[in-house]
Amino acid sequence: MNLREEYEKLEEKILSPLATLSSKSKGRLKKEEKCSIRTDFQRDRDRIIHSKAFRRLKHKTQVFIAPEGDHYRTRLTHTLEVAQIARTISRAIRLNEDLTEAIALGHDLGHTPFGHTGESALNEITSIGFKHNEQSLRVVDYLEKGEGLNLTFEVRDGILCHSGDLIPKTNEGKVVKLADKIAYINHDIDDAIRAGILTLDDLPKECIKVLGKGHSERINTMIRAVIEHALKYGEIALVGEVGEATWELRKYMFDNVYIDSEAKKEEEKARSVLKQLFLYYIKHPEVMPKEFYEKVQVYGLERIVCDYIAGMTDRYAIHEFNKLFIPMPWKLKF
């Protein structure tokens, strides 16, 4: 029995017309034999979970750089929260959960150390520009395993289009794009309150009146609004009163937490670390690992240096900086 084919038939029976069917995928960059057990989207999800880039997310900043405490979000826990929210929405409106989950788990694979601070630092110092969503696609297309993961078109599109003005071509991708915002708005509030930067009373009262006081209550309100709109209008969007309150709350977070707050006091140090690493590797590309240095002729020096730095965890970037720029004690031999 071909279990994949059986599951593809089941998708055709139970999923909404809004869903993307595994059997209708536009395929991969390189053709390969299909799995007899898993659909193409299930294979993509598994490839992402088992990748080194995914594991490194546990030591990459979400918002707080080097926080003292075990309960602050990292890029990995953020990714898992996005996946949970996106799957809840997709299941409720009968979209393809496997596609949704694969996109969600892969959307931040290209994020730099030190979060968006690192992203902006690389974007400023390189002449070719740097965006984390484009780097995430580059990770799954070229960098992971030295040849990429050969994911499906639909997953690759969702990863690329989860950020900025790009619009995903699948409804599952649109769900992840919204889930990303729902997740970070709420968990960043939670972390900011934990850090003493905000109190619940500081949050805009009109927004809280609409969305709810508690963390789970606000998430539930946003998720329900997306689901109800999708079921009624066949459109993936967060609009109306809940949408307006959500985007106002997001603006509040940018004004009070993401920019010039106590949470960001280490930013300039982080920016300096990545910029100095970039300049050093541009002058001394041979000190990069062999698998990167060998690709300079293929992709160009700046792109490879960005690839190398973007793949670092926070602590590895600091380790490399210390090794290259901080004098080490001279060890006496007795």
Side-chain angles (χ1 to χ4, degrees):
M1 180 185 296
N2 188 308
L3 295 177
R4 172 185 53 79
E5 292 179 357
E6 291 296 319
Y7 194 79
E8 287 174 348
K9 291 176 183 178
L10 183 61
E11 283 186 350
E12 294 176 6
K13 292 180 180 179
I14 67 174
L15 294 186
S16 162
L18 297 173
T20 305
L21 300 176
S22 302
S23 59
K24 303 297 183 183
S25 171
K26 293 183 180 180
R28 305 180 184 279
L29 293 175
K30 294 175 285 188
K31 288 186 178 181
E32 58 181 64
E33 185 177 347
K34 289 182 178 290
C35 178
S36 63
I37 300 174
R38 298 166 296 165
T39 68
D40 286 348
F41 299 149
Q42 289 170 347
R43 290 183 88 184
D44 285 359
R45 174 202 59 204
D46 294 350
R47 289 177 182 184
I48 290 168
I49 285 178
H50 290 285
S51 69
K52 290 188 292 185
F54 183 76
R55 294 195 292 274
R56 289 197 299 271
L57 294 177
K58 68 180 178 179
H59 293 300
K60 292 193 178 190
T61 290
Q62 173 58 27
V63 170
F64 291 78
I65 296 174
E68 292 184 2
D70 295 329
H71 298 140
Y72 292 95
R73 270 71 173 190
T74 66
R75 190 60 56 176
L76 178 60
T77 57
H78 160 73
T79 294
L80 296 176
E81 292 186 34
V82 172
Q84 175 266 318
I85 291 169
R87 285 189 60 187
T88 298
I89 296 170
S90 286
R91 178 173 294 187
I93 57 183
R94 292 185 292 121
L95 296 182
N96 194 313
E97 279 189 68
D98 296 321
L99 173 57
T100 301
E101 186 176 24
I103 295 169
L105 293 175
H107 81 282
D108 269 354
L109 290 180
H111 235 302
T112 60
F114 311 122
H116 289 285
T117 299
E119 178 181 21
S120 64
L122 283 185
N123 187 53
E124 288 172 9
I125 199 165
T126 180
S127 65
I128 57 176
F130 184 92
K131 294 182 179 179
H132 81 274
N133 58 316
E134 294 175 356
Q135 188 67 18
S136 294
L137 184 62
R138 185 164 171 77
V139 168
V140 300
D141 279 356
Y142 306 111
L143 300 179
E144 186 66 27
K145 293 186 175 182
E147 59 183 9
L149 298 176
N150 197 30
L151 304 183
T152 57
F153 168 84
E154 292 79 8
V155 174
R156 295 174 58 251
D157 170 75
I159 289 173
L160 176 65
C161 299
H162 84 270
S163 179
D165 296 328
L166 298 172
I167 301 174
K169 292 182 173 59
T170 67
N171 284 320
E172 290 82 0
K174 293 174 184 176
V175 165
V176 172
K177 191 178 181 100
L178 277 179
D180 185 32
K181 294 178 174 63
I182 293 172
Y184 74 64
I185 290 170
N186 286 287
H187 66 48
D188 291 349
I189 289 174
D190 192 39
D191 280 354
I193 291 174
R194 177 175 292 108
I197 295 170
L198 297 177
T199 68
L200 188 58
D201 291 336
D202 292 328
L203 299 176
K205 291 179 173 53
E206 288 304 311
C207 296
I208 297 306
K209 183 179 179 180
V210 173
L211 301 173
K213 286 186 177 181
H215 176 75
S216 60
E217 185 181 359
R218 290 192 300 272
I219 292 177
N220 189 59
T221 300
M222 295 175 187
I223 288 175
R224 287 179 65 89
V226 175
I227 292 170
E228 289 170 1
H229 185 82
L231 292 176
K232 187 173 183 179
Y233 298 104
E235 176 189 42
I236 310 301
L238 182 51
V239 294
E241 184 182 38
V242 174
E244 291 176 3
T246 298
W247 308 134
E248 181 62 30
L249 189 57
R250 180 174 180 266
K251 181 179 182 300
Y252 174 86
M253 291 297 291
F254 271 93
D255 292 342
N256 294 275
V257 176
Y258 300 143
I259 301 173
D260 294 333
S261 75
E262 185 72 13
K264 315 303 280 181
K265 66 181 182 180
E266 298 297 301
E267 267 194 4
E268 285 308 311
K269 295 178 186 176
R271 293 168 68 86
S272 177
V273 166
L274 293 198
K275 287 186 175 183
Q276 290 190 61
L277 286 176
F278 179 89
L279 294 174
Y280 185 88
Y281 294 132
I282 288 293
K283 293 180 179 178
H284 308 282
E286 69 282 356
V287 305
M288 291 188 293
K290 182 180 179 182
E291 62 267 28
F292 287 91
Y293 181 59
E294 288 179 341
K295 293 181 179 179
V296 168
Q297 296 301 319
V298 179
Y299 298 115
L301 180 55
E302 285 195 58
R303 177 57 64 201
I304 292 300
V305 171
C306 284
D307 288 342
Y308 182 43
I309 294 176
M312 294 179 178
T313 60
D314 293 13
R315 62 186 185 181
Y316 185 73
I318 293 170
H319 173 271
E320 289 299 285
F321 179 86
N322 287 337
K323 184 176 73 174
L324 294 173
F325 298 108
I326 305 300
M328 294 292 106
W330 186 53
K331 295 181 180 180
L332 294 172
K333 294 182 180 180
F334 295 98

